Amino acid sequence: PAIGTTSLGVAVAHGKPDAAAATRAETLALARGMARLPVLVTVDIEGGFGAGPDRIGELAAELVDAGVAGVNIEDGRPDGTLTDPAHQCELITAVRQAAPALFVNARTDTYWLGVADGNPRTETLRRAEAYVAAGADGVFVPSLPDDRATAEAVKHIDAPLNVLYAPDRHTLGRLADLGVARVSCGSLLFRAALHSAVELACAIAADTEPTGQTAGIPTYAEVQGLADLTTASAAADLTAASAAADPTAASAAAESSAPTRPPTPPGR
């Protein structure tokens, strides 16, 4: 399992449109913070934020230096069309060459945008083959319409297949049976959290009982504890680096970087 960013969440949180090449700096800043977590982190870089091969290579290098494990790069464009596959292959190759350790998940929006000249199956397989040849480690095909299309994609794409989870249609067990290697939630978790926040706010404003909407909400201290975990992970990384450079300094490094926050008051 890995934690992945969602371009919609990053964009909306900063008051910007999604898939418009407008959040390169915000995405990179978020990635640097998340990479301190003790889990694999993969980053949605849209279509490369409008960058050419040189600039997207620089971004890939920055992400891998930050500790990111993988990226998702898509061929859908802001105007609802698909990028020329030859250009997309150049971007994928640039990412692969600049950051060989990065897992490159190549997304094709043939089904998602519905603009593949009426034959998304053929265009999907054509693009997938080209993207894998260009250096992609996996292929992401959101909005595959049914089990048959999913099974065909698994059979004919020479790379692990990633699909977008649809809560009204998918189960992880069934997707595994079909041969799907990776399942993404996309913006689902962000949208679900947004919905819950608005529902609760509306219930409070209407002075009605927020039945079921507060069950299981973590306490302030529990959420603050998540930040402590991140800090502890960063401290461990610093200690390891110090030990490699100077074993006698490892203990001091651990002590100086350990969190010293006082107990959190309840209820905040």
Side-chain angles (χ1 to χ4, degrees):
I3 292 180
T5 66
T6 165
S7 62
L8 176 67
V10 176
V12 171
H14 291 88
K16 296 183 177 182
D18 183 30
T23 56
R24 182 188 189 280
E26 292 85 352
T27 298
L28 185 55
L30 176 62
R32 285 173 173 152
M34 289 179 61
R36 294 179 297 169
L37 294 169
V39 294
L40 296 176
V41 172
T42 182
V43 175
D44 183 348
I45 60 171
E46 298 184 359
F49 301 117
D54 290 342
R55 285 280 288 156
I56 200 171
E58 293 172 5
L59 175 61
E62 288 183 271
L63 288 170
V64 79
D65 285 346
V68 169
V71 293
N72 184 83
I73 180 169
E74 63 199 44
D75 60 10
R77 298 192 294 193
D79 63 0
T81 62
L82 294 170
T83 301
D84 177 74
H87 175 69
Q88 193 70 5
C89 286
E90 290 179 356
L91 298 181
I92 292 169
T93 298
V95 172
R96 166 58 59 235
Q97 292 177 345
L102 212 57
F103 186 96
V104 182
N105 198 36
R107 167 174 162 168
T108 182
D109 285 341
T110 45
Y111 284 96
W112 179 260
L113 295 177
V115 292
D117 297 326
N119 192 355
R121 177 186 179 278
T122 299
E123 185 64 12
T124 297
L125 297 181
R126 183 174 79 92
R127 285 175 177 264
E129 181 179 7
Y131 297 165
V132 172
D137 298 293
V139 174
F140 182 16
V141 187
S143 294
L144 283 164
D146 50 40
D147 286 0
R148 179 179 178 181
T150 301
E152 285 189 347
V154 169
K155 179 179 179 180
H156 295 291
I157 294 175
D158 190 23
L161 179 68
N162 182 184
V163 303
L164 183 66
Y165 179 76
D168 59 341
R169 188 163 65 87
H170 290 148
T171 66
L172 294 183
R174 179 55 180 161
L175 291 173
D177 289 342
L178 292 171
V180 172
R182 173 171 168 167
V183 179
S184 295
C185 292
S187 63
L188 176 62
L189 301 182
F190 172 77
R191 290 182 286 112
L194 183 62
H195 172 73
S196 295
V198 171
E199 287 281 296
L200 181 55
C202 288
I204 294 171
D207 203 20
T208 59
E209 180 71 25
T211 305
Q213 295 172 357
T214 58
I217 292 179
T219 65
Y220 180 95
E222 288 170 337
V223 174
Q224 187 72 357
L226 298 177
D228 292 339
L229 285 175
T230 302
T231 304
S233 178
D237 290 343
L238 177 60
T239 301
S242 299
D246 181 3
T248 63
S251 177
E255 292 175 0
S256 65
S257 58
T260 57
R261 188 178 295 108
T264 303
R268 289 181 57 193

